[in-house]
Amino acid sequence: MTPTLTTGELLHEGLRRLAPALEQPQLDAELLLAHVLRTHRARLRSHPEEGRGAGERDRYLALIERRVAGEPLAYLVGRKGFWSLELAVGPGVLVPRPETELLVERALVLRAEPTGDVADLGTGSGAIALALARERPGWSIAATDLSQEALGVARRNAMGLAIGNVEFLQGDWFAPLAGRRLHLALSNPPYVASDDPALRAAPLRFEPPIALSSGADGLEHLRRIIRDAPGSLLRGGWLLLEHGAGQAREVARELVVRGFGHVRSHRDLAGEERMTEARWG
Ligand code: GLN
């Protein structure tokens, strides 16, 4: 195979094409090339003189073009880090976001006990359920999702991580949990208003609408979860909800109206109130 370019030259070309689209193109250029070459970033740097074939070049530059168009890096490499886990992700699930780790953090604080019945509603890739399962192997965790495709991704993640204390159930919010009583329920539901132009821009336009869009004000699903939660929570049980930056007041109001106490919102690393917790009974 006659090398057409070296690793260093390919990386340079990737960077050049990404630069107009991304503020910090270096990491993406390296991660995409490492993905195509099935190697690590460190190897690209230590051996920039290695020759690459036309096939590798074409596959790399095709991914670069998709990244330039705004497709999330996580879909292009099929993986995303969340909490301490490396998760498989694809276009059938929302890409896990760092701010969602706030739900995991608060769940671990609010329930220190080593056992408990817990549910992650709308689990997607399984990120929240699997992070909690890893931290609390004695918890019994139910992860629900309406999407069979998402449940497939989440189940494969559980198997790949050898996590056994999560069961996966298909259905709408609390529906598959009928008859159970939980110590803690948490969810990162869809909360984007259906006419929000962000849905038509990158990265959201590449992600499943079912995981994002939630009625005229974005609160439709949050309201349903809050309305139904008392039927599934134990007295003293906690509900933890992620929401959009401008939604904390309305979510807190809804929780109070429905009879929840200890209502408290928390800020993400960007300083925005992005999750609210509340106790039932
Ligand atoms: N975190 C996404 C965003 O605001 C929305 C995810 C969701 O609706 N749950 O870009």
Side-chain angles (χ1 to χ4, degrees):
M1 181 171 69
T2 333
T4 54
L5 286 174
T6 66
T7 295
E9 286 166 336
L10 258 186
L11 202 52
H12 190 263
E13 179 59 16
L15 260 172
R16 191 185 68 77
R17 296 190 188 198
L18 280 175
L22 301 181
E23 263 172 44
Q24 295 180 335
Q26 184 81 31
L27 183 63
D28 290 50
E30 289 182 3
L31 287 172
L32 287 172
L33 187 54
H35 174 69
V36 168
L37 303 180
R38 298 197 171 81
T39 185
H40 298 287
R41 285 167 62 214
R43 172 91 194 171
L44 308 177
R45 294 181 177 209
S46 57
H47 294 74
E49 74 295 345
E50 279 181 348
R52 296 298 166 192
E56 290 169 328
R57 178 201 60 203
D58 292 349
R59 285 203 302 283
Y60 178 52
L61 294 179
L63 289 180
I64 290 284
E65 290 314 320
R66 287 168 65 185
R67 187 69 189 107
V68 167
E71 207 166 323
L73 181 73
Y75 289 162
L76 299 177
V77 300
R79 310 205 66 77
K80 177 75 185 178
F82 179 82
W83 199 254
S84 62
L85 311 175
E86 184 75 7
L87 298 168
V89 297
V93 296
L94 189 81
V95 176
R97 311 282 206 269
E99 55 268 29
T100 303
E101 293 177 354
L102 199 50
L103 268 83
V104 176
E105 240 175 80
R106 289 303 301 164
L108 295 173
V109 169
L110 293 171
R111 185 160 182 83
E113 289 85 341
T115 60
D117 287 307
V118 172
D120 171 24
L121 310 172
T123 196
S125 63
I128 296 170
L130 295 170
L132 289 175
R134 177 52 63 82
E135 297 294 327
R136 296 275 195 273
W139 284 7
S140 171
I141 302 175
T144 75
D145 209 290
L146 200 52
S147 156
Q148 288 286 11
E149 188 183 354
L151 287 174
V153 173
R155 278 196 189 100
R156 280 195 294 283
N157 275 321
M159 265 196 308
L161 295 163
I163 289 175
N165 55 325
V166 182
E167 64 173 324
F168 297 94
L169 304 169
Q170 197 266 333
D172 208 15
W173 307 131
F174 288 102
L177 302 169
R180 301 195 197 188
R181 290 286 166 173
L182 305 163
H183 295 98
L184 190 144
L186 65 185
S187 182
N188 171 18
Y191 51 71
V192 181
S194 51
D195 66 350
D196 190 330
L199 290 172
R200 283 173 295 284
L204 300 190
R205 78 181 169 92
F206 294 96
E207 298 185 271
I210 189 184
L212 296 166
S213 174
S214 182
D217 61 358
L219 291 162
E220 186 180 312
H221 289 285
L222 283 159
R223 286 201 192 92
R224 284 181 45 200
I225 293 170
I226 293 168
R227 183 195 66 199
D228 294 344
S232 291
L233 286 175
L234 287 161
R235 291 231 154 250
W238 290 95
L239 179 62
L240 280 63
L241 297 169
E242 180 171 325
H243 48 69
Q247 295 173 330
R249 274 171 71 102
E250 191 52 31
V251 168
R253 201 190 67 84
E254 198 72 23
L255 285 160
V256 171
V257 165
R258 295 282 173 183
F260 284 84
H262 293 79
V263 179
R264 187 173 163 201
S265 299
H266 295 271
R267 293 180 194 278
D268 65 11
L269 292 174
E272 305 280 4
E273 287 184 321
R274 291 297 305 284
M275 71 142 293
T276 297
E277 68 197 25
R279 201 170 80 166
W280 177 243

